[in-house]
Amino acid sequence: MGLRERKKHQTRRALLDVAFELFAAQGYEATTIDQIAAAVDVSPRTFFRYFGGKEDLALDYTAEYEALVTSALAARPEDEPPFRALVNAYRSFIHEMRRTAGEEAERFVLQRQVIERNPHLFTAGLARMTAVEAKLTAEIARRQGTDPATDPRPRLLVAFVTAAIRVGFECDTAAPPTPPELFGNLERALSLTEEALDPSWCQFSLGSSGQVATKASSPG
């Protein structure tokens, strides 16, 4: 990046860092845009050059999340099975998080704490993640040559994997995970999805009523 771009990047990061420190200290609702801007020594007008508002700042991570995951999926080989392609795309996402570990991961954990404590932000964050899932679903459907409007399999597959990722991201706000713990949680969540779809993990049979009965297979 050139000098101008570096300065813009630094200002953006400073606004994010200060905002979440204030959110954590005094609450999201009590924190104003004027306070955030003043703490970084910029004007509120400058704030709005970077973010559409306080909610846009608080959920800024979703834009980066979307860019990383959707581009990683698009880069997977076309002949790769859909489940494998999606899992590998998320592994690429985790790898990128590891690459920028430390400050970035700690910031993400703090963001998660703030969002999980605020019902409005939590709901808005879920809405944005639903939009990301729709894009992933469209890409899986394209790769498989099917229409997600009539074939629910792409949406079910994406919902299954992204639900596992959400579990991996969940953190106890009283004792948030360290960056290495967060990465480990995410990788374990992906590994468990692979185990869950292993044919040897479950046995299916028709019960006397004609309904499908599910029985977990014996360990080992």
Side-chain angles (χ1 to χ4, degrees):
M1 290 186 291
L3 178 60
R4 183 178 180 183
E5 288 302 313
R6 285 201 302 271
K7 287 184 176 180
K8 289 175 64 176
H9 178 76
Q10 290 168 356
T11 300
R12 181 183 182 86
R13 284 304 184 192
L15 288 167
L16 283 165
D17 287 341
V18 164
F20 277 96
E21 288 172 4
L22 290 171
F23 294 159
Q26 62 189 34
Y28 172 79
E29 300 295 348
T31 301
T32 67
I33 290 173
D34 285 351
Q35 287 176 323
I36 297 169
V40 183
D41 198 22
V42 299
S43 68
R45 182 176 179 181
T46 297
F47 174 96
F48 285 109
R49 291 176 185 166
Y50 293 91
F51 303 102
K54 196 167 62 169
E55 180 183 302
D56 189 43
L57 179 150
L59 300 177
D60 178 72
Y61 77 94
T62 60
E64 185 174 8
Y65 171 91
E66 175 183 338
L68 288 172
V69 176
T70 55
S71 62
L73 179 59
R76 299 306 306 172
E78 286 287 330
D79 60 350
E80 192 171 39
F83 172 71
R84 179 62 48 204
L86 191 56
V87 167
N88 284 336
Y90 271 102
R91 285 208 165 99
S92 295
F93 167 70
I94 296 169
H95 174 76
E96 180 62 17
M97 286 189 67
R98 281 190 183 278
R99 190 184 68 80
T100 59
E103 179 185 351
E104 294 292 331
E106 289 171 5
R107 180 186 291 114
F108 187 86
V109 170
L110 180 58
Q111 289 174 339
R112 292 291 301 183
Q113 284 183 280
V114 169
I115 291 168
E116 288 172 6
R117 290 170 179 167
N118 187 283
H120 170 75
L121 284 180
F122 187 78
T123 301
L126 285 179
R128 293 198 182 195
M129 287 304 181
T130 298
V132 176
E133 290 178 17
K135 292 186 177 182
L136 295 174
T137 297
E139 174 61 11
I140 291 293
R142 182 198 67 77
R143 293 164 65 94
Q144 294 303 106
T146 189
D147 182 358
T150 56
D151 185 349
R153 289 176 297 175
R155 185 157 51 93
L156 287 170
L157 178 63
V158 169
F160 179 64
V161 176
T162 55
I165 290 296
R166 277 196 291 273
V167 170
F169 271 134
E170 286 175 357
C171 60
D172 183 349
T173 55
T178 63
E181 289 172 339
L182 176 63
F183 301 140
N185 291 344
L186 289 169
E187 290 178 344
R188 176 169 169 75
L190 283 179
S191 295
L192 289 174
T193 63
E194 293 173 306
E195 290 180 21
L197 287 188
D198 186 332
S200 67
W201 192 78
C202 284
Q203 298 173 348
F204 297 93
S205 61
L206 284 177
S208 58
S209 63
Q211 296 179 333
V212 175
T214 306
K215 178 177 68 175
S217 61
S218 300

